[in-house]
Amino acid sequence: LVSGVWHGVFAGYWLFFATSAFMFQASRPLYKYELHWDSKWRNFLPWYWTKIVMTALVLDYAGSAFMVLSFHESVLIWRSTYYVGHVWIAVMLLLGVIMPPKKLEKNKKE
């Protein structure tokens, strides 16, 4: 909300920041799952790069609204990609609700 107000009254700013907030919220369950993995799997190079590429793709997808600023044009762009970024965010959020990660015991934190 603060970032949207800071940048201006254009709908594209608000759409971008709202989408990125949901994106960061959706990444939390994955992070919590990874805490239970062995460090060799968490640091496995293909997994590491998959996370980087997926983050970049969803941010680029959401960033299109930041670039065009218009609500109508933003929705047209997202519709042309079948809302793939929003679908991915929804899947990640649902995964965290349906299969919540186990809580990490305090003495096992790394």
Side-chain angles (χ1 to χ4, degrees):
L1 178 66
V2 171
S3 294
V5 170
W6 177 261
H7 283 84
V9 294
F10 295 104
Y13 294 142
W14 293 76
L15 290 170
F16 170 75
F17 289 116
T19 301
S20 60
F22 282 111
M23 184 183 92
F24 293 125
Q25 187 66 28
S27 69
R28 292 178 73 196
L30 183 59
Y31 171 75
K32 289 179 182 179
Y33 285 127
E34 286 182 329
L35 290 177
H36 297 285
W37 297 356
D38 187 27
S39 64
K40 73 175 185 175
W41 291 110
R42 279 193 310 244
N43 300 325
F44 187 55
L45 200 55
W47 174 245
Y48 178 77
W49 280 103
T50 300
K51 292 188 304 182
I52 289 175
V53 168
M54 288 305 297
T55 301
L57 288 174
V58 175
L59 271 176
D60 287 348
Y61 163 85
S64 63
F66 195 94
M67 299 298 291
V68 299
L69 300 178
S70 162
F71 179 83
H72 179 69
E73 289 179 6
S74 299
V75 172
L76 284 176
I77 290 170
W78 290 346
R79 185 183 304 149
S80 72
T81 60
Y82 302 102
Y83 300 99
V84 67
H86 286 92
V87 170
W88 182 250
I89 291 168
V91 166
M92 294 298 293
L93 285 169
L94 285 173
L95 179 67
V97 171
I98 293 170
M99 298 181 343
K102 297 176 187 172
K103 294 189 179 196
L104 196 61
E105 295 177 16
K106 289 186 180 185
N107 60 357
K108 288 189 176 183
K109 283 188 179 179
E110 291 185 21

